[in-house]
Amino acid sequence: MATPAMMPAGWYADPTRRHECRYWGGTDWTGAVSDGAVTATDPLESASQPPPPSSQPPFPSSQPPFPSPEPPLPSPQHPAEFSPVTAPAVPAVVRRGRGSRAVAMIAIAVVAVAGVIAGLVIWAPWQSPPLLRPAGLVAGPSTTSSVAFRWSGLAAGPAPDRYMIMHDRNVIGSVPGTVTSYRGTGLAPATAYRYRVVAVRGGKRSAASAIIVVTTLTPPISAARWQGPWNVSLKIVRGGADLTAPSSWVESWQANPKCAAGACAVVLSGGINGHTFKVTLARAGAAYSGMFRANLFPCGSGSSSVPDPSTQTIRITLTTAHVDNQAWTASSWAGTMVIFSPDTSDGLNYYCPASTQTAALSGNP
């Protein structure tokens, strides 16, 4: 039987594991290498040759090797494929007489070698074709907290083991190789997200797909959560002639929602003209309203003034919203406050007739 060194010349798995394929010249490994159907030269680093390819059936010892002066380029679809070898022609006639037995044995040997060569071509190790880059990414339906997109299956070669989903260079998930779509959930509203897809097969990755940008839907203002501290501008726009206080000023108010998330009623607290207040405002869409009593504008002045408890009716409407820490949150609002004061007198020095003032309100974080 032939020694392993008499394997046919061709492309085999690189025994040094530095490349996908290396060319076996028939007697020795050469410096010709191939990666992804691209050939290059990488000489062996030591004088001792790695072992010859052993995954193929050996040649008979009487059969000479088949050297190739120039290593053929691997097929782009099958980098490890080598060109078919044509077996030597078998003599059609074997003459009788002296030496005919030897001639017949040679003919049988040639036929045997031809069979082995054919087996080598059929049994040669075929390397899987390179993984193609996923393509054809198309956005799907989105909600205020989710996005979806899909892509085309690979145009050639076996299906991948899986597809990796990447967002901002980070792997955020994967789907089986038979699935060509993805849905991201738990996202912020009104926000653009950038994704890429990578195919994976046998531990190898394809090039990343082109970037697809998908955006979550923008919720209505009525869905915004009203919360946090606010700088509130107050301006008396009606009934100011009855007051000795300034016609406009700025206060600090706090809105505390009465639910853990989303839009709901709030408890509004703060100061007005040096007096504190606290009121619960009911919600109706983007509008909030409530009523409270407080001594905002006393009757008289100085130490001799008398309390003049008034009724305040507040109506506020959210005007803009934005994403804050993944939540859809109010970013400005406007409204009015109507102040009604009844007749008030200390019985001696002061008499304050009933009055009504209207103040315009606007709030910003």
Side-chain angles (χ1 to χ4, degrees):
M1 296 297 292
T3 64
M6 298 181 68
M7 297 296 292
W11 292 96
Y12 296 88
D14 184 7
T16 67
R17 298 180 180 275
R18 298 198 297 263
H19 304 276
E20 293 180 358
C21 304
R22 183 177 290 274
Y23 194 78
W24 170 255
T27 57
D28 296 295
W29 291 105
T30 69
V33 295
S34 172
D35 292 281
V38 178
T39 58
T41 301
D42 181 13
L44 296 174
E45 297 177 353
S46 63
S48 60
Q49 282 272 337
S54 58
S55 61
Q56 307 297 328
F59 271 81
S61 58
S62 60
Q63 179 65 29
F66 293 88
S68 176
E70 292 292 336
L73 292 176
S75 166
Q77 290 75 25
H78 303 285
E81 179 183 0
F82 53 82
S83 301
V85 181
T86 303
V90 180
V93 178
V94 180
R95 295 182 180 181
R96 297 180 178 274
R98 186 176 182 180
S100 62
R101 183 185 182 117
V103 172
M105 293 181 65
I106 292 174
I108 293 172
V110 170
V111 172
V113 170
V116 172
I117 293 174
L120 287 173
V121 173
I122 295 174
W123 298 334
W126 289 59
Q127 181 175 338
S128 297
L131 276 169
L132 299 180
R133 179 190 193 194
L137 276 69
V138 178
S142 298
T143 68
T144 57
S145 61
S146 69
V147 296
F149 60 93
R150 64 184 185 276
W151 57 93
S152 303
L154 300 187
D161 300 331
R162 59 192 173 99
Y163 289 102
M164 293 192 313
I165 311 301
M166 303 183 68
H167 170 57
D168 291 340
R169 299 186 179 181
N170 296 319
V171 177
I172 60 168
S174 66
V175 297
T178 54
V179 176
T180 55
S181 63
Y182 177 78
R183 174 172 289 277
T185 59
L187 307 179
T191 303
Y193 291 86
R194 297 158 58 89
Y195 294 99
R196 302 180 83 173
V197 180
V198 175
V200 180
R201 185 175 64 223
K204 295 184 178 180
R205 300 182 179 184
S206 72
S209 71
I211 293 174
I212 184 171
V213 180
V214 284
T215 304
T216 50
L217 299 182
T218 300
I221 298 296
S222 60
R225 182 174 176 82
W226 185 21
Q227 63 183 9
W230 297 86
N231 294 317
V232 182
S233 297
L234 297 89
K235 183 177 181 180
I236 303 297
V237 294
R238 185 177 300 169
D242 299 327
L243 302 176
T244 58
S247 61
S248 63
W249 67 100
V250 176
E251 300 282 6
S252 294
W253 292 1
Q254 176 79 27
N256 295 309
K258 300 190 70 174
C259 58
C264 58
V266 301
V267 175
L268 189 65
S269 60
I272 301 176
N273 195 34
H275 299 273
T276 60
F277 77 95
K278 186 175 184 180
V279 59
T280 297
L281 301 183
R283 170 181 169 269
Y288 295 77
S289 61
M291 182 184 298
F292 67 98
R293 288 176 62 81
N295 182 34
L296 300 185
F297 305 112
C299 180
S301 61
S303 59
S304 60
S305 63
V306 294
D308 187 6
S310 55
T311 301
Q312 283 67 233
T313 302
I314 293 181
R315 292 183 176 86
I316 288 173
T317 301
L318 306 185
T319 52
T320 61
H322 69 297
V323 177
D324 181 19
N325 194 26
Q326 295 287 100
W328 186 237
T329 308
S331 53
S332 66
W333 52 266
T336 60
M337 181 173 66
V338 177
I339 307 164
F340 172 73
S341 301
D343 290 338
T344 302
S345 173
D346 64 353
L348 296 173
N349 301 316
Y350 295 109
Y351 171 74
C352 298
S355 64
T356 301
Q357 293 83 34
T358 301
L361 310 175
S362 62
N364 292 282

